[in-house]
Amino acid sequence: QVQLVESGGGLVQAGGSLRLSCAASGLTFSNYAMGWFRQAPAKERESVGRINSAGVTYYKELVRGRFTISRDNAKNTVYLQMNSLKPEETAVYYCAARRYYSSTWGTNDMDYWGKGTLVTVSS
């Protein structure tokens, strides 16, 4: 079956960096758009950014310029490089996959989800 497994979370000081990885299996990875979401305590899950099958990226405005999404189709892996992290960005970070295009990109539009990895940014 399809599995998405995130890794790379942990504790980092404000201003620091982390790189998250999401390894996919059980699907033809190159056919999927991949997204990163995060959910902080008592908040709704929100999209951080995405990368489509052609490698085109899009980011939430608040992370633009600090976060970078990339993919390695040979390794069936998508990455989220996070720089200049802020305490308010403490959250569980999830990767997700979507096969077919739709006009919206949100939590209800994803076909598959990983279980998440916790990122804690200390002040």
Side-chain angles (χ1 to χ4, degrees):
Q1 66 271 23
V2 172
Q3 279 196 312
L4 304 177
V5 181
E6 302 96 336
S7 61
L11 176 65
V12 64
Q13 285 190 316
S17 299
L18 282 176
R19 189 182 76 158
L20 307 183
S21 299
C22 174
S25 60
L27 77 173
T28 304
F29 181 75
S30 61
N31 289 341
Y32 284 77
M34 302 296 298
W36 286 96
F37 293 75
R38 66 188 179 192
Q39 188 166 21
K43 295 191 68 176
E44 296 294 316
R45 191 171 300 186
E46 65 176 2
S47 175
V48 174
R50 58 186 184 261
I51 184 167
N52 71 8
S53 298
V56 179
T57 56
Y58 180 84
Y59 303 95
K60 176 182 176 71
E61 185 176 2
L62 288 175
V63 310
R64 207 167 291 161
R66 296 187 296 115
F67 290 13
T68 303
I69 298 172
S70 60
R71 65 190 297 160
D72 187 339
N73 288 345
K75 296 181 178 180
N76 285 8
T77 301
V78 63
Y79 304 94
L80 176 63
Q81 176 68 47
M82 303 183 291
N83 299 327
S84 301
L85 281 161
K86 304 174 181 180
E88 58 265 34
E89 292 174 318
T90 293
V92 177
Y93 283 71
Y94 300 88
C95 67
R98 193 188 74 197
R99 174 64 179 87
Y100 297 108
Y101 175 82
S102 66
S103 61
T104 58
W105 184 275
T107 58
N108 293 329
D109 299 310
M110 303 297 105
D111 297 320
Y112 304 106
W113 289 92
K115 292 184 177 180
T117 185
L118 177 63
V119 172
T120 303
V121 185
S122 63
S123 60

